[in-house]
Amino acid sequence: MLKCMAGILPSSVNLNGVALSQISPSDRAKSVVYLGPEFSDVYGVTVSHHVISGRYPHEGSALWNWSKKDQNLAYEAMKRASCLELKDRFLNQLSTGECQRARIARA
């Protein structure tokens, strides 16, 4: 069901009364996030960069520059996910639990 809601598998699921097939992937990404158990090693990416990249669906441009608002929202997300102290560490250096908290903050 979660994979259907995230648009990974085809379905006839509705989100707020609208068929998921009628919602663009960008708009769906603003409402639904799927965090599967798999996560490949990512080298050279800090937790803060990983978390702020989760703002991309809200900005809609590949040439987007992070604003102060994006930085503040990422900071708050890291606080809520209890990973603010990890912000300058690289993802590939984190424990599984720490990495999961960073992924939750990004979502």
Side-chain angles (χ1 to χ4, degrees), residues 7-102:
I8 297 168
L9 297 175
S11 73
S12 59
V13 173
N14 288 337
L15 178 64
N16 298 326
V18 179
L20 284 178
S21 60
Q22 301 300 313
I23 302 173
S24 72
S26 176
D27 286 340
R28 189 174 42 240
K30 295 174 188 174
S31 301
V32 178
V33 176
Y34 172 76
L35 293 177
E38 65 284 339
F39 188 72
S40 59
D41 284 336
V42 179
Y43 294 92
V45 177
T46 63
V47 170
S48 59
H49 281 99
H50 178 68
V51 172
I52 204 167
S53 71
R55 297 284 307 144
Y56 173 76
H58 301 276
E59 301 304 324
S61 170
L63 302 175
W64 148 69
N65 290 314
W66 303 333
S67 68
K68 187 68 173 168
K69 175 186 172 186
D70 294 320
Q71 292 171 359
N72 290 338
L73 289 168
Y75 179 88
E76 289 301 317
M78 287 185 283
K79 273 179 45 178
R80 285 193 312 271
S82 300
C83 66
L84 186 58
E85 72 280 1
L86 306 173
K87 67 180 176 57
D88 296 322
R89 294 195 37 210
F90 292 100
L91 290 174
N92 63 307
Q93 296 174 337
L94 302 179
S95 71
T96 303
E98 290 169 334
C99 193
Q100 190 69 358
R101 292 193 334 249

